[in-house]
Amino acid sequence: MATKIADGLERAFAMQGFAAPSVEDLRDAAGVSLRTLYKYAPSRDLMIRMALEHRHQRYLGHVFGDQNRSSGQSLDETLDRVANWMQTEASHGCLFHAAVASAPDDQKLRQLLEAHKSEVSQRAAVSAGCDISPNDVMVIIEGLTQAWSLSQDAALTSAKRLARLAEAQSA
């Protein structure tokens, strides 16, 4: 039941933003009664966190595979998977950044953003099997996700070029 609710909340926030959906909209998106929604997420803040945690797991599965493997995926393949996510799931940008932008003083949201970005960049760096720092990987992936709405395939091409330069410098 929690997964169904989290999935509905994630979709609602991704489509409508964090301010627009009413509790009734969120209930409808989750496909449960108001009582059940509040049982699993007793406040709007918890609904947002639940949606983001669900999004994080889906993103890891999409980018690194269902087993969330930690090695054997080239950085180019990771960037291809990030671009595919942007095309199919997040054409308007990162939901984590949008959440923090909607509540810039919310430290728990900021911590979720930092944890999400850190885990993604760490996994991508380890998976690539080279000496690129996780911070460099994060900047490359963030550049791709932020530029996606403006340049799509050109953003992917540039991200791959930057990854190759970083790999060459780390060798």
Side-chain angles (χ1 to χ4, degrees):
M1 181 63 69
T3 301
K4 174 187 173 186
I5 292 169
D7 188 59
L9 293 172
E10 177 199 347
R11 281 184 284 108
F13 290 129
M15 290 174 36
Q16 300 177 42
F18 292 95
S22 67
V23 173
E24 290 76 20
D25 293 334
L26 296 172
R27 176 205 60 211
D28 292 347
V32 296
S33 70
L34 195 56
R35 180 180 178 155
T36 301
L37 177 60
Y38 277 122
K39 175 183 174 188
Y40 285 89
S43 71
R44 187 179 194 87
D45 288 346
L46 290 174
M47 290 176 200
I48 291 170
R49 282 189 233 129
M50 184 181 203
L52 290 174
E53 288 166 1
H54 180 71
R55 178 86 160 198
H56 174 70
Q57 292 305 316
R58 283 194 337 101
Y59 184 81
L60 292 178
H62 186 92
V63 173
F64 299 106
D66 291 332
Q67 293 78 31
N68 291 328
R69 64 182 177 218
S70 60
S71 63
Q73 180 171 298
S74 72
L75 195 49
D76 268 12
E77 185 179 352
T78 298
L79 294 171
D80 284 333
R81 288 172 177 241
V82 170
N84 180 265
W85 174 269
M86 296 306 296
Q87 184 173 24
T88 61
E89 300 282 341
S91 61
H92 300 296
C94 175
L95 195 61
F96 288 85
H97 280 294
V100 170
S102 74
D105 296 328
D106 187 327
Q107 290 305 309
K108 290 183 180 184
L109 286 180
R110 186 169 295 284
Q111 288 169 350
L112 278 175
L113 168 67
E114 290 171 4
H116 170 69
K117 299 301 180 179
S118 177
E119 184 170 355
V120 169
S121 61
Q122 290 283 343
R123 283 183 184 230
V126 168
S127 179
C130 58
D131 290 330
I132 299 177
S133 77
N135 193 60
D136 287 350
V137 171
M138 179 172 33
V139 169
I140 292 167
I141 291 173
E142 285 298 290
L144 172 57
T145 60
Q146 292 303 310
W148 182 261
S149 64
L150 298 173
S151 11
Q152 296 179 350
D153 289 338
L156 176 59
T157 299
S158 294
K160 287 182 175 184
R161 187 176 321 112
L162 291 171
R164 283 191 289 277
L165 287 171
E167 286 173 334
Q169 285 190 335
S170 69

